[in-house]
Amino acid sequence: MGLGGILILLLLLVSLIVFIYVLVVSARGWGWLHSILLSFLFIECWVLIVFSAGVHYRRVNATQEAAKNRADAEQALELTQTLLWGTFNTAITPQDVDAVVPAQGMLRRLTADRGRVWRQLNLVQAEPGSYQLEFPVPEELPGEEAVDPLAEDPAVAPVAPVAQSSESLPVNTVVYAFAEQVDEEGRHIPNYYLGEFVVKESQAGQVKLQPTTQLFPGQQQRIDSGAATSWTLYELLPLDSHDVFVQPGAKPSEEAIFGAMDEEAVRAMFAEVPTEDGRQEELIESYLRDGTRAAESDAKDEVWVQVNVLKEYALDVDSKEIANATARGFFDASGRSIDLRLKRGEEGVVTLTPDMKGERIILKEEVAMPLINSGVLELVQRVYVRPLVDFEEAFAHTMLRQHEIEQGIELAQRDQRELEKANQLAQEMISFRQAEAQEISSDLGNYQREVKILQDAVARATSDFTQLRAEIQRLYQQVQAHHSALLGSSPSDAS
């Protein structure tokens, strides 16, 4: 018992003694009836006092609890508003998402051009040029309703789940397939591009896909080896982004305007790139340097500049044209937006003011330099920005290059076969000529011997001819002398 209870009991005891004394003294004049009524009145007063004290005690506790609950409710409401809408602090950059609504807005922007997605499709049968996939059976807990995570108020906006059945993939639909891999948290993450396919059959929870072009050897090997048993299908090919490769939780800074890149994830992604001539390391380095300070050796189209605004300047960012992004793209030739989802409205004018000096503004160098030279902007630093890849165009270009390389290989193989035939004929000709050379060499020896014999015969004939000629000359001289002698004698002598 507390001090208050002891005091009340003490007060009750004192009042009881006083009451008994008063009752005894006054009993002679009042009579027995008044004494009994007075006793009941005394008891009732104390009972009333006790009950009143209990009610007051409970009321005080209830009031304190109500005040505490009201304060907790106001704090919870304030926390709910903060979690839902954020802190409304203008110093927070758009990347510092700390509330549901901004996160939903960012998620909408990230998935605006993604289209529909079908996940965890099991590869049932793989034949040359035909792949049959089975949709997963949806798991629904009893009494639960599917909730759209992008709804403005998920608590009051139950919607049907994202299309995940064969009816959502009609025949002739073009989809982009990725092989899935289960991460440490049990999530199915797309990790390898399998190619572009068209739906040929779609019924009974299964679809049959046919590739629109010949698959790359790596894609075909991934499917044939059983490493692609679970597929993700995209209605639109995902877009490249600077933020995709940022480390989880990393914040933009002056040294890394997109945030620090996840080196482990980047290296794992390009692990299969050939290492010859440093190609793999050069590619990885371009991703890791994305958003950092630019080097003097960087190409002009890879350098952007961070600027501060010194003077007010208005930019017209909306084009007068309106077109669907799938038909005309997002921007016109001058860089103004033509997709209605990207238009700013209010005549499409964005005004840069000196009050934006604390914000991080990044522009292309060729756009910013005239404004810097005119004093509208102030150069803070030059930044290396990795050129984004248009995957659809890149894959088409790669496919074309592969076709050209295959044709070149086929021509080279044909030329090699012709060269091998020519080489074989040359070898046969060499063998024939070698045999012919041996015969010619043998004939040459015989010829040389015959020539030597003839030379000896000619030499002897020449010697004999010389001797015969000398003898003839001698005889001729004798005949001339004899003839002269005869002409010089007398006729009688002559007779």
Side-chain angles (χ1 to χ4, degrees), residues 399-432:
M399 184 64 67
L400 179 62
R401 289 289 302 150
Q402 182 185 16
H403 182 65
E404 293 176 353
I405 291 173
E406 289 176 353
Q407 287 185 334
I409 293 175
E410 186 176 352
L411 292 175
Q413 290 176 346
R414 187 189 66 180
D415 293 342
Q416 184 179 6
R417 289 193 296 269
E418 295 296 330
L419 288 174
E420 290 175 354
K421 291 180 181 179
N423 186 33
Q424 184 178 358
L425 292 175
Q427 294 295 333
E428 294 177 356
M429 185 175 293
I430 290 173
S431 301
F432 174 76

PDB file of all heavy atoms in Angstrom, residues 399-432:
ATOM      1  N   MET A 399      24.045  -8.684 -85.123  1.00  0.00           N
ATOM      2  CA  MET A 399      23.562  -9.764 -85.971  1.00  0.00           C
ATOM      3  C   MET A 399      24.025  -9.564 -87.419  1.00  0.00           C
ATOM      4  O   MET A 399      24.442 -10.517 -88.096  1.00  0.00           O
ATOM      5  CB  MET A 399      22.035  -9.827 -85.901  1.00  0.00           C
ATOM      6  CG  MET A 399      21.430 -10.988 -86.684  1.00  0.00           C
ATOM      7  SD  MET A 399      21.909 -12.594 -86.018  1.00  0.00           S
ATOM      8  CE  MET A 399      21.060 -12.560 -84.442  1.00  0.00           C
ATOM      9  N   LEU A 400      23.954  -8.309 -87.894  1.00  0.00           N
ATOM     10  CA  LEU A 400      24.421  -8.021 -89.248  1.00  0.00           C
ATOM     11  C   LEU A 400      25.909  -8.288 -89.370  1.00  0.00           C
ATOM     12  O   LEU A 400      26.363  -8.895 -90.360  1.00  0.00           O
ATOM     13  CB  LEU A 400      24.101  -6.561 -89.597  1.00  0.00           C
ATOM     14  CG  LEU A 400      24.556  -6.079 -90.979  1.00  0.00           C
ATOM     15  CD1 LEU A 400      23.873  -6.879 -92.077  1.00  0.00           C
ATOM     16  CD2 LEU A 400      24.269  -4.588 -91.152  1.00  0.00           C
ATOM     17  N   ARG A 401      26.668  -7.853 -88.380  1.00  0.00           N
ATOM     18  CA  ARG A 401      28.102  -8.090 -88.415  1.00  0.00           C
ATOM     19  C   ARG A 401      28.401  -9.590 -88.361  1.00  0.00           C
ATOM     20  O   ARG A 401      29.304 -10.078 -89.046  1.00  0.00           O
ATOM     21  CB  ARG A 401      28.774  -7.387 -87.233  1.00  0.00           C
ATOM     22  CG  ARG A 401      28.805  -5.880 -87.364  1.00  0.00           C
ATOM     23  CD  ARG A 401      29.776  -5.446 -88.443  1.00  0.00           C
ATOM     24  NE  ARG A 401      31.109  -5.930 -88.153  1.00  0.00           N
ATOM     25  CZ  ARG A 401      32.003  -6.226 -89.083  1.00  0.00           C
ATOM     26  NH1 ARG A 401      31.685  -6.135 -90.369  1.00  0.00           N
ATOM     27  NH2 ARG A 401      33.217  -6.643 -88.747  1.00  0.00           N
ATOM     28  N   GLN A 402      27.641 -10.323 -87.560  1.00  0.00           N
ATOM     29  CA  GLN A 402      27.844 -11.765 -87.490  1.00  0.00           C
ATOM     30  C   GLN A 402      27.549 -12.411 -88.845  1.00  0.00           C
ATOM     31  O   GLN A 402      28.284 -13.293 -89.283  1.00  0.00           O
ATOM     32  CB  GLN A 402      26.962 -12.372 -86.410  1.00  0.00           C
ATOM     33  CG  GLN A 402      27.165 -13.880 -86.250  1.00  0.00           C
ATOM     34  CD  GLN A 402      26.195 -14.496 -85.265  1.00  0.00           C
ATOM     35  OE1 GLN A 402      25.204 -13.887 -84.922  1.00  0.00           O
ATOM     36  NE2 GLN A 402      26.465 -15.705 -84.830  1.00  0.00           N
ATOM     37  N   HIS A 403      26.466 -11.935 -89.496  1.00  0.00           N
ATOM     38  CA  HIS A 403      26.145 -12.471 -90.820  1.00  0.00           C
ATOM     39  C   HIS A 403      27.278 -12.168 -91.799  1.00  0.00           C
ATOM     40  O   HIS A 403      27.671 -13.034 -92.597  1.00  0.00           O
ATOM     41  CB  HIS A 403      24.833 -11.868 -91.302  1.00  0.00           C
ATOM     42  CG  HIS A 403      24.380 -12.392 -92.631  1.00  0.00           C
ATOM     43  ND1 HIS A 403      24.025 -13.708 -92.845  1.00  0.00           N
ATOM     44  CD2 HIS A 403      24.239 -11.764 -93.837  1.00  0.00           C
ATOM     45  CE1 HIS A 403      23.684 -13.880 -94.111  1.00  0.00           C
ATOM     46  NE2 HIS A 403      23.813 -12.717 -94.733  1.00  0.00           N
ATOM     47  N   GLU A 404      27.804 -10.938 -91.735  1.00  0.00           N
ATOM     48  CA  GLU A 404      28.911 -10.585 -92.622  1.00  0.00           C
ATOM     49  C   GLU A 404      30.138 -11.430 -92.313  1.00  0.00           C
ATOM     50  O   GLU A 404      30.838 -11.885 -93.232  1.00  0.00           O
ATOM     51  CB  GLU A 404      29.240  -9.099 -92.469  1.00  0.00           C
ATOM     52  CG  GLU A 404      28.139  -8.176 -92.970  1.00  0.00           C
ATOM     53  CD  GLU A 404      28.461  -6.720 -92.717  1.00  0.00           C
ATOM     54  OE1 GLU A 404      29.476  -6.464 -92.026  1.00  0.00           O
ATOM     55  OE2 GLU A 404      27.729  -5.842 -93.204  1.00  0.00           O
ATOM     56  N   ILE A 405      30.392 -11.653 -91.010  1.00  0.00           N
ATOM     57  CA  ILE A 405      31.553 -12.463 -90.636  1.00  0.00           C
ATOM     58  C   ILE A 405      31.362 -13.902 -91.091  1.00  0.00           C
ATOM     59  O   ILE A 405      32.308 -14.540 -91.597  1.00  0.00           O
ATOM     60  CB  ILE A 405      31.764 -12.389 -89.114  1.00  0.00           C
ATOM     61  CG1 ILE A 405      32.215 -10.993 -88.707  1.00  0.00           C
ATOM     62  CG2 ILE A 405      32.782 -13.429 -88.662  1.00  0.00           C
ATOM     63  CD1 ILE A 405      32.286 -10.781 -87.217  1.00  0.00           C
ATOM     64  N   GLU A 406      30.143 -14.437 -90.947  1.00  0.00           N
ATOM     65  CA  GLU A 406      29.892 -15.804 -91.404  1.00  0.00           C
ATOM     66  C   GLU A 406      30.083 -15.910 -92.909  1.00  0.00           C
ATOM     67  O   GLU A 406      30.664 -16.896 -93.400  1.00  0.00           O
ATOM     68  CB  GLU A 406      28.474 -16.216 -91.015  1.00  0.00           C
ATOM     69  CG  GLU A 406      28.296 -16.448 -89.513  1.00  0.00           C
ATOM     70  CD  GLU A 406      26.863 -16.764 -89.153  1.00  0.00           C
ATOM     71  OE1 GLU A 406      25.995 -16.662 -90.060  1.00  0.00           O
ATOM     72  OE2 GLU A 406      26.590 -17.120 -87.991  1.00  0.00           O
ATOM     73  N   GLN A 407      29.593 -14.888 -93.657  1.00  0.00           N
ATOM     74  CA  GLN A 407      29.819 -14.900 -95.096  1.00  0.00           C
ATOM     75  C   GLN A 407      31.307 -14.802 -95.416  1.00  0.00           C
ATOM     76  O   GLN A 407      31.812 -15.493 -96.326  1.00  0.00           O
ATOM     77  CB  GLN A 407      29.063 -13.741 -95.745  1.00  0.00           C
ATOM     78  CG  GLN A 407      27.557 -13.939 -95.812  1.00  0.00           C
ATOM     79  CD  GLN A 407      26.869 -12.830 -96.566  1.00  0.00           C
ATOM     80  OE1 GLN A 407      27.366 -11.706 -96.639  1.00  0.00           O
ATOM     81  NE2 GLN A 407      25.715 -13.142 -97.137  1.00  0.00           N
ATOM     82  N   GLY A 408      32.013 -13.924 -94.664  1.00  0.00           N
ATOM     83  CA  GLY A 408      33.451 -13.812 -94.879  1.00  0.00           C
ATOM     84  C   GLY A 408      34.172 -15.115 -94.574  1.00  0.00           C
ATOM     85  O   GLY A 408      35.103 -15.500 -95.296  1.00  0.00           O
ATOM     86  N   ILE A 409      33.735 -15.778 -93.484  1.00  0.00           N
ATOM     87  CA  ILE A 409      34.339 -17.071 -93.143  1.00  0.00           C
ATOM     88  C   ILE A 409      34.065 -18.090 -94.242  1.00  0.00           C
ATOM     89  O   ILE A 409      34.948 -18.873 -94.619  1.00  0.00           O
ATOM     90  CB  ILE A 409      33.811 -17.555 -91.779  1.00  0.00           C
ATOM     91  CG1 ILE A 409      34.312 -16.647 -90.658  1.00  0.00           C
ATOM     92  CG2 ILE A 409      34.210 -19.001 -91.524  1.00  0.00           C
ATOM     93  CD1 ILE A 409      33.731 -16.982 -89.307  1.00  0.00           C
ATOM     94  N   GLU A 410      32.827 -18.086 -94.754  1.00  0.00           N
ATOM     95  CA  GLU A 410      32.491 -19.030 -95.827  1.00  0.00           C
ATOM     96  C   GLU A 410      33.323 -18.764 -97.078  1.00  0.00           C
ATOM     97  O   GLU A 410      33.833 -19.709 -97.712  1.00  0.00           O
ATOM     98  CB  GLU A 410      31.003 -18.914 -96.144  1.00  0.00           C
ATOM     99  CG  GLU A 410      30.507 -19.939 -97.142  1.00  0.00           C
ATOM    100  CD  GLU A 410      29.014 -19.851 -97.368  1.00  0.00           C
ATOM    101  OE1 GLU A 410      28.347 -19.086 -96.636  1.00  0.00           O
ATOM    102  OE2 GLU A 410      28.517 -20.555 -98.276  1.00  0.00           O
ATOM    103  N   LEU A 411      33.476 -17.474 -97.429  1.00  0.00           N
ATOM    104  CA  LEU A 411      34.312 -17.142 -98.590  1.00  0.00           C
ATOM    105  C   LEU A 411      35.761 -17.524 -98.337  1.00  0.00           C
ATOM    106  O   LEU A 411      36.439 -18.043 -99.238  1.00  0.00           O
ATOM    107  CB  LEU A 411      34.196 -15.649 -98.901  1.00  0.00           C
ATOM    108  CG  LEU A 411      32.841 -15.161 -99.426  1.00  0.00           C
ATOM    109  CD1 LEU A 411      32.840 -13.654 -99.573  1.00  0.00           C
ATOM    110  CD2 LEU A 411      32.525 -15.817-100.770  1.00  0.00           C
ATOM    111  N   ALA A 412      36.235 -17.241 -97.104  1.00  0.00           N
ATOM    112  CA  ALA A 412      37.617 -17.595 -96.788  1.00  0.00           C
ATOM    113  C   ALA A 412      37.812 -19.106 -96.848  1.00  0.00           C
ATOM    114  O   ALA A 412      38.849 -19.588 -97.333  1.00  0.00           O
ATOM    115  CB  ALA A 412      37.985 -17.052 -95.405  1.00  0.00           C
ATOM    116  N   GLN A 413      36.824 -19.859 -96.339  1.00  0.00           N
ATOM    117  CA  GLN A 413      36.933 -21.320 -96.408  1.00  0.00           C
ATOM    118  C   GLN A 413      36.919 -21.807 -97.853  1.00  0.00           C
ATOM    119  O   GLN A 413      37.661 -22.728 -98.209  1.00  0.00           O
ATOM    120  CB  GLN A 413      35.794 -21.948 -95.612  1.00  0.00           C
ATOM    121  CG  GLN A 413      35.909 -21.760 -94.106  1.00  0.00           C
ATOM    122  CD  GLN A 413      34.716 -22.304 -93.353  1.00  0.00           C
ATOM    123  OE1 GLN A 413      33.677 -22.601 -93.962  1.00  0.00           O
ATOM    124  NE2 GLN A 413      34.845 -22.432 -92.034  1.00  0.00           N
ATOM    125  N   ARG A 414      36.060 -21.173 -98.684  1.00  0.00           N
ATOM    126  CA  ARG A 414      36.043 -21.563-100.105  1.00  0.00           C
ATOM    127  C   ARG A 414      37.390 -21.250-100.758  1.00  0.00           C
ATOM    128  O   ARG A 414      37.938 -22.068-101.509  1.00  0.00           O
ATOM    129  CB  ARG A 414      34.924 -20.823-100.832  1.00  0.00           C
ATOM    130  CG  ARG A 414      34.707 -21.290-102.271  1.00  0.00           C
ATOM    131  CD  ARG A 414      33.743 -20.384-102.993  1.00  0.00           C
ATOM    132  NE  ARG A 414      34.301 -19.043-103.162  1.00  0.00           N
ATOM    133  CZ  ARG A 414      33.662 -18.049-103.762  1.00  0.00           C
ATOM    134  NH1 ARG A 414      32.433 -18.238-104.224  1.00  0.00           N
ATOM    135  NH2 ARG A 414      34.232 -16.871-103.881  1.00  0.00           N
ATOM    136  N   ASP A 415      37.929 -20.047-100.469  1.00  0.00           N
ATOM    137  CA  ASP A 415      39.240 -19.694-101.023  1.00  0.00           C
ATOM    138  C   ASP A 415      40.314 -20.639-100.506  1.00  0.00           C
ATOM    139  O   ASP A 415      41.237 -21.009-101.255  1.00  0.00           O
ATOM    140  CB  ASP A 415      39.591 -18.249-100.652  1.00  0.00           C
ATOM    141  CG  ASP A 415      38.672 -17.243-101.327  1.00  0.00           C
ATOM    142  OD1 ASP A 415      38.016 -17.630-102.317  1.00  0.00           O
ATOM    143  OD2 ASP A 415      38.598 -16.091-100.861  1.00  0.00           O
ATOM    144  N   GLN A 416      40.193 -21.041 -99.242  1.00  0.00           N
ATOM    145  CA  GLN A 416      41.169 -21.967 -98.690  1.00  0.00           C
ATOM    146  C   GLN A 416      41.101 -23.313 -99.393  1.00  0.00           C
ATOM    147  O   GLN A 416      42.137 -23.920 -99.687  1.00  0.00           O
ATOM    148  CB  GLN A 416      40.934 -22.130 -97.185  1.00  0.00           C
ATOM    149  CG  GLN A 416      41.969 -23.020 -96.512  1.00  0.00           C
ATOM    150  CD  GLN A 416      41.722 -23.142 -95.020  1.00  0.00           C
ATOM    151  OE1 GLN A 416      40.720 -22.645 -94.520  1.00  0.00           O
ATOM    152  NE2 GLN A 416      42.618 -23.822 -94.322  1.00  0.00           N
ATOM    153  N   ARG A 417      39.855 -23.754 -99.670  1.00  0.00           N
ATOM    154  CA  ARG A 417      39.723 -25.019-100.404  1.00  0.00           C
ATOM    155  C   ARG A 417      40.340 -24.902-101.799  1.00  0.00           C
ATOM    156  O   ARG A 417      41.027 -25.827-102.268  1.00  0.00           O
ATOM    157  CB  ARG A 417      38.247 -25.411-100.500  1.00  0.00           C
ATOM    158  CG  ARG A 417      37.640 -25.851 -99.183  1.00  0.00           C
ATOM    159  CD  ARG A 417      36.290 -26.515 -99.401  1.00  0.00           C
ATOM    160  NE  ARG A 417      35.309 -25.595 -99.959  1.00  0.00           N
ATOM    161  CZ  ARG A 417      34.485 -24.848 -99.235  1.00  0.00           C
ATOM    162  NH1 ARG A 417      34.528 -24.903 -97.899  1.00  0.00           N
ATOM    163  NH2 ARG A 417      33.614 -24.046 -99.816  1.00  0.00           N
ATOM    164  N   GLU A 418      40.114 -23.766-102.463  1.00  0.00           N
ATOM    165  CA  GLU A 418      40.706 -23.567-103.785  1.00  0.00           C
ATOM    166  C   GLU A 418      42.227 -23.517-103.691  1.00  0.00           C
ATOM    167  O   GLU A 418      42.934 -24.078-104.548  1.00  0.00           O
ATOM    168  CB  GLU A 418      40.173 -22.278-104.414  1.00  0.00           C
ATOM    169  CG  GLU A 418      38.681 -22.301-104.714  1.00  0.00           C
ATOM    170  CD  GLU A 418      38.324 -23.356-105.759  1.00  0.00           C
ATOM    171  OE1 GLU A 418      39.171 -23.647-106.631  1.00  0.00           O
ATOM    172  OE2 GLU A 418      37.204 -23.894-105.697  1.00  0.00           O
ATOM    173  N   LEU A 419      42.723 -22.861-102.644  1.00  0.00           N
ATOM    174  CA  LEU A 419      44.178 -22.791-102.463  1.00  0.00           C
ATOM    175  C   LEU A 419      44.741 -24.172-102.178  1.00  0.00           C
ATOM    176  O   LEU A 419      45.840 -24.517-102.648  1.00  0.00           O
ATOM    177  CB  LEU A 419      44.510 -21.840-101.318  1.00  0.00           C
ATOM    178  CG  LEU A 419      44.307 -20.344-101.609  1.00  0.00           C
ATOM    179  CD1 LEU A 419      44.544 -19.526-100.346  1.00  0.00           C
ATOM    180  CD2 LEU A 419      45.243 -19.881-102.716  1.00  0.00           C
ATOM    181  N   GLU A 420      43.996 -24.961-101.396  1.00  0.00           N
ATOM    182  CA  GLU A 420      44.469 -26.318-101.130  1.00  0.00           C
ATOM    183  C   GLU A 420      44.507 -27.143-102.415  1.00  0.00           C
ATOM    184  O   GLU A 420      45.446 -27.913-102.637  1.00  0.00           O
ATOM    185  CB  GLU A 420      43.571 -26.983-100.094  1.00  0.00           C
ATOM    186  CG  GLU A 420      43.723 -26.398 -98.695  1.00  0.00           C
ATOM    187  CD  GLU A 420      42.738 -26.993 -97.711  1.00  0.00           C
ATOM    188  OE1 GLU A 420      41.865 -27.770 -98.168  1.00  0.00           O
ATOM    189  OE2 GLU A 420      42.842 -26.705 -96.502  1.00  0.00           O
ATOM    190  N   LYS A 421      43.465 -26.984-103.261  1.00  0.00           N
ATOM    191  CA  LYS A 421      43.484 -27.685-104.559  1.00  0.00           C
ATOM    192  C   LYS A 421      44.656 -27.221-105.403  1.00  0.00           C
ATOM    193  O   LYS A 421      45.376 -28.040-106.005  1.00  0.00           O
ATOM    194  CB  LYS A 421      42.174 -27.442-105.300  1.00  0.00           C
ATOM    195  CG  LYS A 421      40.966 -28.101-104.663  1.00  0.00           C
ATOM    196  CD  LYS A 421      39.714 -27.800-105.479  1.00  0.00           C
ATOM    197  CE  LYS A 421      38.481 -28.429-104.851  1.00  0.00           C
ATOM    198  NZ  LYS A 421      37.246 -28.122-105.626  1.00  0.00           N
ATOM    199  N   ALA A 422      44.855 -25.903-105.470  1.00  0.00           N
ATOM    200  CA  ALA A 422      45.970 -25.378-106.246  1.00  0.00           C
ATOM    201  C   ALA A 422      47.305 -25.846-105.684  1.00  0.00           C
ATOM    202  O   ALA A 422      48.240 -26.173-106.435  1.00  0.00           O
ATOM    203  CB  ALA A 422      45.908 -23.843-106.263  1.00  0.00           C
ATOM    204  N   ASN A 423      47.397 -25.895-104.371  1.00  0.00           N
ATOM    205  CA  ASN A 423      48.632 -26.363-103.737  1.00  0.00           C
ATOM    206  C   ASN A 423      48.880 -27.831-104.059  1.00  0.00           C
ATOM    207  O   ASN A 423      50.024 -28.241-104.322  1.00  0.00           O
ATOM    208  CB  ASN A 423      48.522 -26.156-102.225  1.00  0.00           C
ATOM    209  CG  ASN A 423      49.817 -26.482-101.503  1.00  0.00           C
ATOM    210  OD1 ASN A 423      50.901 -26.274-102.044  1.00  0.00           O
ATOM    211  ND2 ASN A 423      49.702 -27.003-100.291  1.00  0.00           N
ATOM    212  N   GLN A 424      47.775 -28.627-104.054  1.00  0.00           N
ATOM    213  CA  GLN A 424      47.925 -30.042-104.395  1.00  0.00           C
ATOM    214  C   GLN A 424      48.380 -30.200-105.843  1.00  0.00           C
ATOM    215  O   GLN A 424      49.273 -31.006-106.135  1.00  0.00           O
ATOM    216  CB  GLN A 424      46.600 -30.763-104.162  1.00  0.00           C
ATOM    217  CG  GLN A 424      46.685 -32.266-104.397  1.00  0.00           C
ATOM    218  CD  GLN A 424      45.354 -32.959-104.096  1.00  0.00           C
ATOM    219  OE1 GLN A 424      44.391 -32.298-103.685  1.00  0.00           O
ATOM    220  NE2 GLN A 424      45.325 -34.261-104.302  1.00  0.00           N
ATOM    221  N   LEU A 425      47.764 -29.432-106.743  1.00  0.00           N
ATOM    222  CA  LEU A 425      48.194 -29.491-108.145  1.00  0.00           C
ATOM    223  C   LEU A 425      49.640 -29.040-108.298  1.00  0.00           C
ATOM    224  O   LEU A 425      50.410 -29.613-109.092  1.00  0.00           O
ATOM    225  CB  LEU A 425      47.275 -28.607-108.997  1.00  0.00           C
ATOM    226  CG  LEU A 425      45.826 -29.081-109.140  1.00  0.00           C
ATOM    227  CD1 LEU A 425      44.997 -28.057-109.912  1.00  0.00           C
ATOM    228  CD2 LEU A 425      45.759 -30.442-109.828  1.00  0.00           C
ATOM    229  N   ALA A 426      50.017 -27.989-107.533  1.00  0.00           N
ATOM    230  CA  ALA A 426      51.401 -27.518-107.604  1.00  0.00           C
ATOM    231  C   ALA A 426      52.369 -28.583-107.112  1.00  0.00           C
ATOM    232  O   ALA A 426      53.450 -28.780-107.696  1.00  0.00           O
ATOM    233  CB  ALA A 426      51.540 -26.236-106.768  1.00  0.00           C
ATOM    234  N   GLN A 427      51.953 -29.290-106.007  1.00  0.00           N
ATOM    235  CA  GLN A 427      52.809 -30.366-105.510  1.00  0.00           C
ATOM    236  C   GLN A 427      52.949 -31.470-106.543  1.00  0.00           C
ATOM    237  O   GLN A 427      54.047 -32.015-106.742  1.00  0.00           O
ATOM    238  CB  GLN A 427      52.229 -30.921-104.191  1.00  0.00           C
ATOM    239  CG  GLN A 427      52.256 -29.941-103.031  1.00  0.00           C
ATOM    240  CD  GLN A 427      53.664 -29.589-102.626  1.00  0.00           C
ATOM    241  OE1 GLN A 427      54.615 -30.360-102.813  1.00  0.00           O
ATOM    242  NE2 GLN A 427      53.808 -28.388-102.059  1.00  0.00           N
ATOM    243  N   GLU A 428      51.820 -31.821-107.197  1.00  0.00           N
ATOM    244  CA  GLU A 428      51.883 -32.845-108.243  1.00  0.00           C
ATOM    245  C   GLU A 428      52.766 -32.379-109.398  1.00  0.00           C
ATOM    246  O   GLU A 428      53.566 -33.156-109.941  1.00  0.00           O
ATOM    247  CB  GLU A 428      50.473 -33.159-108.743  1.00  0.00           C
ATOM    248  CG  GLU A 428      49.592 -33.826-107.691  1.00  0.00           C
ATOM    249  CD  GLU A 428      48.176 -34.042-108.203  1.00  0.00           C
ATOM    250  OE1 GLU A 428      47.895 -33.603-109.346  1.00  0.00           O
ATOM    251  OE2 GLU A 428      47.364 -34.647-107.471  1.00  0.00           O
ATOM    252  N   MET A 429      52.632 -31.107-109.759  1.00  0.00           N
ATOM    253  CA  MET A 429      53.455 -30.574-110.843  1.00  0.00           C
ATOM    254  C   MET A 429      54.921 -30.554-110.450  1.00  0.00           C
ATOM    255  O   MET A 429      55.807 -30.859-111.272  1.00  0.00           O
ATOM    256  CB  MET A 429      52.976 -29.169-111.204  1.00  0.00           C
ATOM    257  CG  MET A 429      53.688 -28.555-112.410  1.00  0.00           C
ATOM    258  SD  MET A 429      52.976 -26.955-112.855  1.00  0.00           S
ATOM    259  CE  MET A 429      51.356 -27.489-113.399  1.00  0.00           C
ATOM    260  N   ILE A 430      55.177 -30.211-109.180  1.00  0.00           N
ATOM    261  CA  ILE A 430      56.567 -30.205-108.716  1.00  0.00           C
ATOM    262  C   ILE A 430      57.152 -31.611-108.783  1.00  0.00           C
ATOM    263  O   ILE A 430      58.298 -31.816-109.217  1.00  0.00           O
ATOM    264  CB  ILE A 430      56.630 -29.623-107.290  1.00  0.00           C
ATOM    265  CG1 ILE A 430      56.334 -28.133-107.312  1.00  0.00           C
ATOM    266  CG2 ILE A 430      57.991 -29.879-106.662  1.00  0.00           C
ATOM    267  CD1 ILE A 430      56.212 -27.512-105.935  1.00  0.00           C
ATOM    268  N   SER A 431      56.334 -32.600-108.338  1.00  0.00           N
ATOM    269  CA  SER A 431      56.813 -33.985-108.405  1.00  0.00           C
ATOM    270  C   SER A 431      57.103 -34.391-109.847  1.00  0.00           C
ATOM    271  O   SER A 431      58.130 -35.033-110.143  1.00  0.00           O
ATOM    272  CB  SER A 431      55.788 -34.926-107.779  1.00  0.00           C
ATOM    273  OG  SER A 431      55.560 -34.583-106.432  1.00  0.00           O
ATOM    274  N   PHE A 432      56.156 -34.005-110.748  1.00  0.00           N
ATOM    275  CA  PHE A 432      56.356 -34.347-112.164  1.00  0.00           C
ATOM    276  C   PHE A 432      57.592 -33.651-112.710  1.00  0.00           C
ATOM    277  O   PHE A 432      58.400 -34.275-113.426  1.00  0.00           O
ATOM    278  CB  PHE A 432      55.105 -33.945-112.942  1.00  0.00           C
ATOM    279  CG  PHE A 432      55.248 -34.119-114.421  1.00  0.00           C
ATOM    280  CD1 PHE A 432      55.177 -35.377-115.005  1.00  0.00           C
ATOM    281  CD2 PHE A 432      55.469 -33.017-115.240  1.00  0.00           C
ATOM    282  CE1 PHE A 432      55.314 -35.530-116.376  1.00  0.00           C
ATOM    283  CE2 PHE A 432      55.604 -33.161-116.607  1.00  0.00           C
ATOM    284  CZ  PHE A 432      55.532 -34.419-117.181  1.00  0.00           C
TER     285      PHE A 432
END
